[in-house]
Amino acid sequence: MVTRSRTHAVSVLSWFPLFTLAALLLIPRYSATAQQRPRLGENSIAEVIDAMTVEEKVKLLVGMGFIADIPMLPPVDPEHAKVPEKVPGAAGRTHAIPSLGIPSLTLSDGPAGIRIDPVREDDPDRSYHATAFPVATLMASSWDTSLVRAVGKAFGREAREYGVDILLAPAMNIHRNPLGGRNFEYYSEDPLLSGSLAGAFVDGVESEGVGTSPKHFAANNQEFNRMKSNTLVSERALREIYLKGFEIAVRASQPWSVMTSYNLINGTYTSESRELLTTILRDEWGFAGFVMTDWFGGSDPVAQMNAGNDVLMPGYPQQTQGILEAVARGTLSEAQLDENVERVLRVVLQSPTFKGYEYSDQPDLAGHAQIARRAATEGMVLLKNEDHALPLPPSGTVALFGNASYDLIVGGTGSGDVNEAYSVSLDAGLVDAGYVVEASLQDEYRRYIPDQKAQQPEPPMPFLPPPPIPELAVEADRVIRLSREADVAVITLGRNSGEFTDREPDNDFSLTDTEHALIRSVSTAFRAAGKKVIVVMNVAGVIEVASWRDYADAMLLAWQPGQEGGNAIADVLRGKVNPSGKLPMTFPMTYADVPSADNFPGTVLPGEADQAAPSISGVPTEVTYDEGIYVGYRYYNTFGVEPAYAFGYGLSYTQFDYSDLQLSASECDDEITVTVVVSNIGATPGREVVQLYLSAPGDALDKPESELRAFAKTGLLHPGESETVTFTMAGTDLVSFDTERAAWIAEAGTYTVKIGASALAIRQQAAFDLPQELIVEQAHNVLVPQVPIDERTIRGR
Ligand code: BGC
């Protein structure tokens, strides 16, 4: 291969007679033949950019298009559509520019596994299934960064072996409201937990040589009219709640890319906001990768380029045209395009495709299934366990109720879905674990479910979650009969959700009448027969529990546990794994208690309501985050609203004792080291999530009662064993965003360290002083709301 570096070219030119040199200078750079052009990897990025025509630059920045038969989408360039996909079913690809040695990158969803087509027309004898890992909310419930890193590595290997360059994950928007349709793809209501886990996931995936794209940046906390929804949010809430997780992940793990969200923040599309993408993401946080849009996100490609949203996905011809026209008119500088291109090329250089990685199309699916099973057990949360209802005895007959027992919901719908080869239902998992599943009930559910599914209408649009099939109503007499024959009752409640729609307060957040009736009748009959009732919650998000939990002896929150779900639930039910998950969000008593209940999902703007909706883009909508920083436990704890289950809550089959909290100093100069001893005082080996909450002075700024500032998970502690858990706190762990000064400050005064088994179960506490205010970081007043936001404060409402 001939390398044509610029130095080399100059020395050659110097031998030429003058007229030849003059002639050469008159020839446009880009008319050189392919062999003479610089090549990525052999020449510097600057040289490659220098050799690119404007058309080539724009080509690199606008994706190759989305091949789908969906009428409301912009058309794909017919030329691009002809280029065979390297990985059929992957969400998107960038253009190759072969004459410069730039390959096309393949981008694939998503947060629960690699979403690609499982079968290929040209290769009908093989399948391309991917592992359905547990959803992100379950992973967050593990509170285990090492586990998330290990799972990320498995994602990375699987993506790489299927020829994918960038994984469109982790998804990490904050659970602002339990009805958010994509909450299952997201981690938590808390930014520290979200950011730490997202960073661990990025590290895991990228350690395998595949890129990530934390998404959706930012303040994208609902699906309603998602492409036209304007999030009105204060600078402080934005910084402390909605950006913080991204900040943590970006600073710690430097992902290859970041995906902007569909919504606007304070009047500007996130993908068109230079303040968000340049001032905050790059200048303040030091992000060095490229930014891509969400699919068809934003409206003005020129503003996107100027903002630093380098790549438009999936890309369509009007965007290319708009950018080229703007360059010709001079409203978009070529220098700006060069910056965008440079950031993309830096990532291309690292990609498996550029490196010529010979992918096998044969990831270790069996090995990854085992990782998925283990991860699922680590993130399930035991919410209730009266009189040692769990673990189940090692054998016996289970009367298994609930559609989801036989048709487990392993993950959500939309781009967070995965085409897995198989999934394990709970009845299969229990049988495999040695239990007898009562046969008459099993037969009936197995007939009922396919029959109901066959009657379901086609969804109006691909990707939408299917309507749930009604819960099978089992007559009371039959339940009584079963309570005599079986040893225990297990009832599974199922909930699904996904892109484009949010969940509903009725019959979704709350239980349906049939579900209520089923729980009541099973509970009455089985308890009368001296038998236990276990409820398994196979849900995409938070549901109402307060009205029915008294009927259950034990409740296991299994979330959407991935393809090995039935086995994983059985592992926990029978005590093969001792549950150690804790809630990454609060379970409220009622939906009305949720701080954003009155303002979710916002309002359609006047005059717009009559437009055709729901279309793919929806109509202009506005949502005001008037709860400010009081999201989740920050609200419940500060305003004394009792939750059904607190943030951080979760039981174990053993008990833990906390002792000997020590602070390395009583005043914080630079750092404070916090140690606490956690001991297993029960009879079963187990792991405990240790949470450090901090109460700050709150004299100058309104402060939540306390905030999670660190967490750790112990190793497996055998009965009688202890572990000393150590946390290090620095100035950055004490701060709040002071909007007036556009700075992260730590107020002077007394700080209380609270070590908890949940946000409400504080086991040990100690205080230290900060003698003087610290200005930890100067930031900028950007993304300022157009109108002041009337926020909830402790002093106000
Ligand atoms: C979703 C993204 C996803 C993209 C590509 C969009 O609809 O919001 O999360 O990565 O599609 O599938």
Side-chain angles (χ1 to χ4, degrees):
M1 178 81 46
V2 182
T3 307
R4 299 195 186 272
S5 72
R6 182 175 284 175
T7 343
H8 185 222
V10 169
S11 63
V12 170
L13 286 178
S14 64
W15 302 335
F16 282 15
L18 262 184
F19 71 89
T20 318
L21 177 60
L24 271 178
L25 287 175
L26 290 175
I27 301 171
R29 287 189 302 245
Y30 44 84
S31 71
T33 61
Q35 288 86 346
Q36 290 169 316
R37 306 193 79 191
R39 291 186 69 81
L40 188 66
E42 294 170 9
N43 296 82
S44 69
I45 289 183
E47 285 164 329
V48 173
I49 296 178
D50 212 31
M52 289 173 94
T53 65
V54 178
E55 286 75 11
E56 285 172 331
K57 290 174 187 171
V58 180
K59 210 169 170 186
L60 193 66
L61 301 175
V62 179
M64 285 183 75
F66 186 66
I67 306 162
D69 193 18
I70 304 180
M72 54 278 250
L73 293 180
V76 183
D77 183 327
E79 283 309 304
H80 306 164
K82 282 188 215 150
V83 183
E85 288 177 289
K86 177 182 168 197
V87 184
R93 48 192 180 150
T94 60
H95 279 284
I97 307 180
S99 63
L100 293 166
I102 302 173
S104 162
L105 296 190
T106 298
L107 282 45
S108 171
D109 290 307
I114 317 303
R115 189 173 63 85
I116 58 174
D117 288 346
V119 286
R120 296 183 185 169
E121 272 173 22
D122 61 353
D123 189 8
D125 299 333
R126 288 193 53 185
S127 69
Y128 297 80
H129 290 105
T131 309
F133 291 95
V135 298
T137 303
L138 180 147
M139 294 307 306
S141 309
S142 75
W143 293 61
D144 186 344
T145 49
S146 313
L147 175 77
V148 172
R149 195 172 300 112
V151 170
K153 280 177 87 65
F155 269 75
R157 288 193 295 271
E158 199 159 318
R160 199 183 58 207
E161 291 314 317
Y162 273 138
V164 170
D165 295 292
I166 297 183
L167 181 74
L168 304 173
M172 51 178 303
N173 296 96
I174 290 292
H175 292 190
R176 171 177 178 249
N177 184 289
L179 304 184
R182 295 182 79 176
N183 281 1
F184 72 96
E185 293 187 58
Y186 305 147
Y187 293 113
S188 168
E189 70 186 19
D190 180 79
L192 175 72
L193 186 58
S194 299
S196 311
L197 297 174
F201 184 80
V202 168
D203 288 343
V205 175
E206 296 199 350
S207 70
E208 296 292 335
V210 169
T212 58
S213 198
K215 65 189 187 183
H216 310 88
F217 189 55
N220 177 194
N221 311 95
Q222 60 190 51
E223 287 301 283
F224 179 68
N225 285 338
R226 65 180 188 171
M227 295 175 103
K228 294 215 174 127
S229 181
N230 184 16
T231 300
L232 296 173
V233 56
S234 72
E235 283 177 72
R236 180 171 176 201
L238 192 58
R239 294 282 190 159
E240 290 188 14
I241 307 292
Y242 300 100
L243 297 183
K244 195 54 164 182
F246 286 98
E247 179 180 353
I248 292 168
V250 164
R251 285 192 197 257
S253 306
Q254 276 293 346
W256 291 13
S257 67
V258 161
M259 185 194 293
T260 44
S261 54
Y262 283 129
N263 54 294
L264 305 91
I265 296 180
N266 296 329
T268 306
Y269 273 115
T270 56
S271 60
E272 297 172 13
S273 171
R274 193 168 170 88
E275 294 184 338
L276 180 67
L277 305 183
T278 299
T279 311
I280 295 182
L281 178 64
R282 295 196 164 97
D283 297 347
E284 290 186 13
W285 304 350
F287 174 65
F290 76 84
V291 174
M292 72 176 88
T293 59
D294 197 349
W295 269 228
F296 305 102
S299 70
D300 178 351
V302 177
Q304 290 171 319
M305 291 296 122
N306 276 322
N309 191 120
D310 311 297
V311 174
L312 309 185
M313 287 309 290
Y316 51 95
Q318 293 99 307
Q319 293 173 318
T320 306
Q321 212 182 320
I323 297 174
L324 286 173
E325 281 169 12
V327 175
R329 273 201 312 271
T331 48
L332 175 62
S333 71
E334 212 176 324
Q336 175 63 60
L337 289 189
D338 290 352
E339 262 183 45
N340 304 117
V341 166
E342 185 186 336
R343 293 194 282 250
V344 178
L345 290 182
R346 268 196 253 124
V347 169
V348 172
L349 275 172
Q350 305 176 60
S351 65
T353 301
F354 179 80
K355 292 181 174 167
Y357 183 74
E358 289 186 18
Y359 56 100
S360 62
D361 275 332
Q362 284 178 327
D364 178 11
L365 293 181
H368 294 175
Q370 288 321 305
I371 295 175
R373 176 173 176 169
R374 179 170 83 86
T377 61
E378 294 283 323
M380 291 184 189
V381 186
L382 184 64
L383 293 178
K384 179 172 180 181
N385 196 16
E386 293 289 302
D387 287 338
H388 306 288
L390 290 176
L392 297 175
S395 60
T397 300
V398 181
L400 190 55
F401 299 89
N403 297 342
S405 295
Y406 302 88
D407 189 24
L408 195 76
I409 304 165
V410 302
T413 59
S415 61
D417 198 359
V418 184
N419 295 310
E420 67 275 3
Y422 67 89
S423 65
V424 180
S425 60
L426 181 53
D427 61 332
L430 287 171
V431 169
D432 208 48
Y435 295 94
V436 174
V437 171
E438 200 286 321
S440 70
L441 212 49
Q442 186 183 34
D443 285 349
E444 181 160 359
Y445 277 103
R446 289 212 166 277
R447 275 196 308 274
Y448 171 78
I449 293 166
D451 187 52
Q452 287 289 316
K453 281 192 174 170
Q455 294 173 34
Q456 272 186 324
E458 278 291 306
M461 207 174 62
F463 259 27
L464 280 180
I469 59 176
E471 192 59 65
L472 173 69
V474 188
E475 321 82 67
D477 288 355
R478 180 140 181 235
V479 174
I480 294 171
R481 232 177 20 253
L482 288 164
S483 71
R484 293 193 201 110
E485 290 156 16
D487 299 305
V488 63
V490 174
I491 308 170
T492 307
L493 297 173
R495 290 290 182 278
N496 208 352
S497 75
E499 269 189 91
F500 302 107
T501 54
D502 293 307
R503 296 171 54 217
E504 293 293 328
D506 294 334
N507 301 324
D508 185 348
F509 178 78
S510 68
L511 266 49
T512 64
D513 290 346
T514 320
E515 287 169 332
H516 270 298
L518 181 69
I519 293 178
R520 270 199 305 272
S521 84
V522 170
S523 176
T524 310
F526 276 73
R527 283 179 173 175
K531 298 182 182 159
K532 305 284 189 201
V533 178
I534 318 293
V535 176
V536 172
M537 295 153 69
N538 172 208
V539 293
V542 172
I543 59 170
E544 188 274 329
V545 289
S547 68
W548 56 268
R549 59 181 166 182
D550 287 350
Y551 294 100
D553 298 297
M555 289 156 66
L556 179 68
L557 177 55
W559 296 120
Q560 294 179 324
Q563 68 180 51
E564 283 285 331
N567 284 333
I569 297 171
D571 286 343
V572 175
L573 291 180
R574 71 181 165 129
K576 183 179 168 204
V577 178
N578 184 355
S580 60
K582 301 254 186 172
L583 291 178
M585 81 294 283
T586 311
F587 269 57
M589 285 288 193
T590 68
Y591 179 66
D593 284 348
V594 173
S596 55
D598 292 341
N599 215 341
F600 178 93
T603 44
V604 168
L605 293 178
E608 307 286 354
D610 53 349
Q611 285 188 25
S615 73
I616 203 150
S617 59
V619 292
T621 298
E622 213 166 69
V623 52
T624 306
Y625 288 14
D626 60 2
E627 69 282 2
I629 56 169
Y630 293 105
V631 175
Y633 70 90
R634 286 172 167 77
Y635 166 75
Y636 299 100
N637 294 3
T638 308
F639 293 87
V641 179
E642 192 198 340
Y645 294 111
F647 175 80
Y649 171 87
L651 301 172
S652 163
Y653 296 151
T654 190
Q655 294 83 42
F656 296 97
D657 178 61
Y658 288 64
S659 61
D660 205 17
L661 171 64
Q662 303 218 359
L663 271 48
S664 59
S666 55
E667 275 195 5
C668 179
D669 290 332
D670 187 18
E671 272 186 4
I672 287 221
T673 305
V674 177
T675 54
V676 64
V677 176
V678 179
S679 312
N680 183 347
I681 53 166
T684 312
R687 301 180 69 193
E688 173 73 329
V689 173
V690 185
Q691 303 157 41
L692 188 158
Y693 296 89
L694 193 68
S695 297
D699 295 328
L701 289 178
D702 208 49
K703 285 275 198 176
E705 187 274 327
S706 64
E707 293 178 279
L708 182 76
R709 293 296 193 172
F711 62 90
K713 194 162 184 175
T714 66
L716 188 71
L717 297 179
H718 289 274
E721 263 181 6
S722 300
E723 183 174 316
T724 302
V725 178
T726 304
F727 301 105
T728 308
M729 316 260 322
T732 41
D733 298 310
L734 314 183
V735 291
S736 292
F737 190 75
D738 180 351
T739 309
E740 268 174 34
R741 289 189 277 174
W744 290 98
I745 64 147
E747 268 182 67
T750 302
Y751 288 76
T752 309
V753 172
K754 299 177 172 175
I755 303 292
S758 84
L760 287 181
I762 301 304
R763 299 294 179 78
Q764 296 265 296
Q765 61 182 60
F768 66 86
D769 284 324
L770 182 69
Q772 273 180 2
E773 180 194 83
L774 292 178
I775 300 191
V776 173
E777 193 184 335
Q778 185 61 52
H780 304 84
N781 280 120
V782 285
L783 295 165
V784 178
Q786 304 111 311
V787 284
I789 292 170
D790 181 21
E791 279 182 352
R792 197 187 303 254
T793 64
I794 322 177
R795 298 181 183 91
R797 309 183 266 153

